[in-house]
Amino acid sequence: MHKSLSTVALAAASFCVVNVAHAQVIDIKDGGFSFTFGGQINRGILSVDDGVDTREFSVDNDNSSTRLRARAAYSFGDYVVGGQIEYEFEFSSTAAVNQLNSDVSSSVANERKFELFAETPYGNFAYGQGDTASNGTSEVDLSGTTVVGYSGVSDLAGGILFRDQAGALTTQRIGGNFSNLDGNSRQERFRYDTPVFADGVVVSVSFGEDSRNGIALRYKNDFGDFAFSGALSYNEREGADRVNGSASVLHNPTGVSFTFASGEDSLDNSDQDPSFYYVKLGYERDFFKFGSTAFSVDYYDGSDISSLGSDSDSFGLLAVQNIDRHNLEVYAGYRSYSASAATADFQDIDALLVGARFKF
């Protein structure tokens, strides 16, 4: 079954190359004014074995959704001011399709960013809907395989429903049992990022609606043959405080990388304390002239994510082939999901996603 699925997906990837490889991003510059327009298309085929049935879905990859973006800016001296808009267009997202509904278009045209910004020698400022200070702090990853798998392990098949031990479908989704407890995502907020100091440190703060405030520390630097990147954040949202972070190190001569992420919530008026940890071992090399090849293996373990006493774990095998000339990545990712609640066990789910992401 997987062999035939791979054949279909590679044919789909070839279709993407033929039809969109010649698309060009709009990039206009006139004096101090600049305007850019671009985006990406990320489609694939998802095959799922839920313990009873095996099904295939034509999907948009929620690891990195199909999207369009536009940015207009004016620069004068050391200052840049402008605005940007970004929308995602997910037709049958991996986060939405399941055994009861294979054609989900309700998530089409979601607003991701709609903000004004200013870049100055004293730091960067942003106002409007966009990334909060803590967004992405659980997701630092130098493996080269994030298009198909990262600490947000549910994105590969988040809408799929678990079955109970008798084989009946439950209301428990993969997405509700796995979380990387990342910082507050895209919100209406004010954000400030300091200039880079101390050889790679940036501090970010944001203030948003519904008490969604946060602070984050990011660090990025090279140490001889090693590249390092890491992030740590504290943020608050209504009813919970969260601490989370991630770090990744890459040995450039060998292409070997290691990634770790972890986080914990403190919920008000509850004994439930959701937490997780995630580890990944990656390997990336230039086997072909047309682009690098990346492989990785990862493991996720979560506690109290869906409810008090719940457990969840996932194992993944991921591969990405870059085709630089066409701004294309062809990928395949296998992931197993196991979950249990305090009073119930669910059957394991195996999922395979094969597809391609084209950037323009």
Side-chain angles (χ1 to χ4, degrees):
M1 181 275 294
H2 288 170
K3 182 179 293 186
S4 62
L5 175 61
S6 300
T7 302
V8 173
L10 289 174
S14 300
F15 177 83
C16 290
V17 176
V18 171
N19 284 274
V20 297
H22 299 292
Q24 296 293 322
V25 63
I26 297 175
D27 192 351
I28 300 172
K29 294 182 180 179
D30 183 11
F33 175 78
S34 65
F35 175 80
T36 58
F37 174 82
Q40 63 184 44
I41 300 171
N42 193 352
R43 298 292 298 176
I45 297 176
L46 175 66
S47 177
V48 175
D49 181 349
D50 62 14
V52 174
D53 293 323
T54 299
R55 294 193 58 181
E56 285 74 43
F57 306 86
S58 177
V59 294
D60 196 284
N61 179 356
D62 196 51
N63 284 284
S64 180
S65 58
T66 295
R67 61 192 66 163
L68 296 174
R69 65 180 68 89
R71 181 183 188 271
Y74 185 82
S75 59
F76 49 99
D78 294 331
Y79 296 82
V80 179
V81 296
Q84 60 180 338
I85 299 172
E86 183 176 271
Y87 277 84
E88 68 178 358
F89 299 86
E90 290 189 288
F91 295 88
S92 296
S93 167
T94 56
V97 296
N98 58 44
Q99 299 92 321
L100 302 177
N101 192 350
S102 61
D103 184 11
V104 182
S105 58
S106 60
S107 58
V108 173
N110 288 324
E111 179 183 296
R112 288 170 55 87
K113 294 183 179 181
F114 201 99
E115 63 181 352
L116 301 172
F117 63 83
E119 300 170 356
T120 80
Y122 309 101
N124 297 335
F125 303 82
Y127 175 72
Q129 176 159 313
D131 295 323
T132 68
S134 57
N135 190 31
T137 49
S138 283
E139 300 169 359
V140 175
D141 190 326
L142 301 177
S143 69
T145 59
T146 57
V147 65
V148 66
Y150 68 112
S151 64
V153 297
S154 67
D155 286 356
L156 188 142
I160 300 300
L161 301 172
F162 281 101
R163 291 184 182 271
D164 61 25
Q165 292 301 312
L169 285 174
T170 72
T171 59
Q172 292 291 315
R173 299 167 54 250
I174 287 176
N177 286 268
F178 294 83
S179 172
N180 65 357
L181 302 180
D182 192 34
N184 294 325
S185 58
R186 285 165 296 279
Q187 305 289 334
E188 188 78 17
R189 88 292 186 237
F190 172 82
R191 172 171 170 168
Y192 168 71
D193 299 87
T194 69
V196 178
F197 64 95
D199 295 326
V201 176
V202 173
V203 177
S204 307
V205 293
S206 62
F207 307 91
E209 58 186 8
D210 299 327
S211 299
R212 293 178 179 239
N213 308 319
I215 182 169
L217 172 71
R218 291 176 172 84
Y219 179 69
K220 185 177 183 180
N221 209 342
D222 293 333
F223 300 92
D225 291 335
F226 292 89
F228 176 84
S229 185
L232 179 67
S233 74
Y234 167 80
N235 64 94
E236 62 179 26
R237 62 186 69 199
E238 190 171 2
D241 294 329
R242 175 172 293 178
V243 177
N244 65 285
S246 56
S248 190
V249 60
L250 168 67
H251 185 239
N252 287 300
T254 63
V256 174
S257 64
F258 178 75
T259 299
F260 176 79
S262 184
E264 183 173 359
D265 271 354
S266 296
L267 303 182
D268 297 345
N269 305 316
S270 175
D271 294 328
Q272 182 183 354
D273 292 315
S275 64
F276 88 100
Y277 73 86
Y278 171 86
V279 291
K280 173 189 272 188
L281 181 64
Y283 177 66
E284 184 171 12
R285 298 294 288 176
D286 293 324
F287 295 112
F288 309 104
K289 292 183 179 180
F290 53 79
S292 64
T293 308
F295 304 95
S296 65
V297 56
D298 65 13
Y299 176 75
Y300 169 100
D301 184 271
S303 299
D304 283 4
I305 298 296
S306 63
S307 60
L308 179 63
S310 66
D311 289 298
S312 53
D313 62 82
S314 179
F315 168 78
L317 294 171
L318 315 168
V320 177
Q321 177 61 57
N322 292 277
I323 304 174
D324 296 336
R325 181 180 178 182
H326 297 291
N327 299 324
L328 184 74
E329 299 153 279
V330 179
Y331 56 79
Y334 162 80
R335 188 169 295 286
S336 67
Y337 296 96
S338 300
S340 64
T343 58
D345 291 329
F346 307 119
Q347 295 197 38
D348 294 349
I349 295 175
D350 294 317
L352 174 67
L353 176 64
V354 182
R357 175 173 69 176
F358 170 75
K359 293 183 176 181
F360 59 92

